Amino acid sequence: MIDDVHLRLIRIGRVITKSASNSVIAVLGALIRALIVFWAFFPSIIAAQTPAAPPTPLSLEQRALKTYEDQHYAKSAHLFDDAFASGLSRSDDAYIAARSYALAGDVPKSVAYLKRAMQLGFRQSENLQIDSELTSLHADKQFPLIVELAEANKRAYDAVHQDPDHATIVTSDIDLFWSVYGKMKASPYPEEVLEDDYLLRGSPGLQDFVFSRIQSASALLTTMQHDSKYYAAIQPGTLHIKDFGPQIHASFRKMQQLYPEATFPVVYFVIGRLNTAGTTGSSGLLLGAEMFGKGPHVQTDELNEWQRASIESVDGIPYVVAHELVHYQQTTPSDTLLAAAIHEGSADFIGELISGSFMNQVQYKYGISHEAEL
């Protein structure tokens, strides 16, 4: 596209050519005009000849999920095909792909994706049996076998996660993030660095956290750029998280005393985008380490009101882990306000019993002081 500057320079070239008294000046004027036109169109020529980078598994996953949410199920199913062909390997994605194909009316492919989900470790057999989006599969002779596979996966997982002292605590994603942080800030392509060197190289817990909370490298980068002073200040605290292992294991032992049937999953600490302190996923407990940055030397003026009220000091780590451990034992849905209140309230109550304190201190202070109004 030629702008005003280019047009003015072209006109100068024309003037030089027309007013030339000899052939040398005329040739120079013509050359100037040719160079200016080439300069104007060179970027678009290069862009047209440069092949677009292939979509990554994460970008395809996000497109598939968005299309699924928009109820374009056939398109979503095909996008999941592309995502798995490019390297996606999460059981939850295979399960949603099965939903997409079921809702698009393709039962055989839906069954195939459910089998893939089982191979990847899917173990929520209750979901399989009550999921209304999979109703069309119930008449298929393979469906009861798939339910049995999910139950077998759960038994196998529980069998190796019964000992609270052997519960694994993974902090490698924190180290990975900070190893990428400086490289990302110095790169002209920070989003690509975040995706290639952090999100795609992280643990199974980080993959689950991308799915449920981070969503994309672009979303993470936007948060990091908006809250840049906060992220720059929290590194020392996040590197201290690995020291809380003994306190976390002590809470797990108390949980076993209260509830001998408890399962103790892997605990993953990752760096996310300031929207979740903790949640659960198929890989285990997922903790957003960036939510534990509160401290005297950490600036929070960039954060929104919810973030300022929700961040904790790093000393709150054991209480949040205890809360999420209780959630991990819960199997009933929390799809009503009452059910959600019971889920969260019981997690706070039991979490305090096993760890000595509870999360959401700011919210509790507000609730108690406004109890009559509420």
Side-chain angles (χ1 to χ4, degrees), residues 3-311:
D3 58 22
D4 289 342
V5 174
H6 295 134
L7 288 173
R8 289 174 186 171
L9 291 172
I10 289 172
R11 291 190 187 108
I12 291 171
R14 286 174 178 167
V15 169
I16 292 173
T17 303
K18 289 179 180 179
S19 62
S21 58
N22 57 60
S23 59
V24 174
I25 297 179
V27 170
L28 286 174
L31 282 173
I32 290 172
R33 290 170 60 191
L35 286 171
I36 292 167
V37 170
F38 179 75
W39 176 32
F41 287 102
F42 181 74
S44 59
I45 293 171
I46 294 299
Q49 294 180 350
T50 303
T56 66
L58 291 182
S59 64
L60 287 167
E61 176 197 50
Q62 289 305 311
R63 287 172 58 193
L65 292 171
K66 178 65 167 61
T67 310
Y68 167 80
E69 291 169 359
D70 292 340
Q71 301 181 8
H72 301 304
Y73 301 118
K75 184 177 180 181
S76 170
H78 293 309
L79 285 169
F80 273 118
D81 288 342
D82 294 340
F84 275 95
S86 70
L88 195 66
S89 59
R90 292 182 63 263
S91 63
D92 288 346
D93 285 309
Y95 183 79
I96 297 176
R99 282 174 158 180
S100 294
Y101 268 118
L103 292 167
D106 194 331
V107 170
K109 287 190 175 180
S110 178
V111 168
Y113 264 110
L114 278 186
K115 288 181 177 179
R116 176 176 285 194
M118 300 310 118
Q119 292 169 352
L120 293 170
F122 188 88
R123 57 187 182 274
Q124 284 75 43
S125 59
E126 300 91 348
N127 290 2
L128 276 172
Q129 297 174 79
I130 65 173
D131 192 336
S132 60
E133 296 186 349
L134 298 177
T135 302
S136 61
L137 276 62
H138 289 185
D140 191 285
K141 63 181 180 181
Q142 298 182 79
F143 188 74
L145 300 176
I146 291 172
V147 174
E148 289 179 11
L149 286 173
E151 292 171 345
N153 284 344
K154 186 177 189 310
R155 288 193 298 271
Y157 184 89
D158 290 349
V160 296
H161 291 87
Q162 294 296 313
D163 187 345
D165 289 313
H166 285 84
T168 305
I169 299 172
V170 178
T171 59
S172 58
D173 292 306
I174 296 176
D175 299 327
L176 179 62
F177 176 85
W178 293 118
S179 73
V180 171
Y181 182 73
K183 179 181 177 182
M184 177 212 71
K185 292 185 69 176
S187 172
Y189 308 105
E191 183 177 327
E192 287 81 354
V193 172
L194 266 180
E195 178 154 335
D196 294 343
D197 295 348
Y198 177 54
L199 299 184
L200 290 177
R201 292 188 181 182
S203 69
L206 179 56
Q207 304 309 309
D208 279 349
F209 208 67
V210 172
F211 172 79
S212 63
R213 294 296 188 268
I214 295 177
Q215 297 183 332
S216 68
S218 174
L220 177 56
L221 180 62
T222 297
T223 300
M224 292 174 62
Q225 290 175 335
H226 182 271
D227 304 325
S228 58
K229 290 186 291 185
Y230 179 82
Y231 276 89
I234 64 172
Q235 182 176 3
T238 62
L239 295 176
H240 178 48
I241 288 174
K242 61 181 178 292
D243 299 329
F244 287 95
Q247 200 171 341
I248 291 171
H249 282 118
S251 296
F252 282 18
R253 287 192 292 272
K254 290 183 180 179
M255 182 67 173
Q256 189 180 53
Q257 293 171 6
L258 290 176
Y259 183 53
E261 295 83 6
T263 300
F264 301 96
V266 181
V267 182
Y268 293 94
F269 288 95
V270 307
I271 303 286
R273 60 186 188 97
L274 279 169
N275 59 357
T276 301
T279 186
T280 62
S282 58
S283 58
L285 306 187
L286 314 174
L287 286 298
E290 80 285 357
M291 294 295 293
F292 299 91
K294 182 181 285 186
H297 304 296
V298 177
Q299 296 187 47
T300 61
D301 55 294
E302 301 164 323
L303 308 187
N304 62 38
E305 183 179 0
W306 178 86
Q307 290 166 337
R308 287 194 296 272
S310 299
I311 60 170

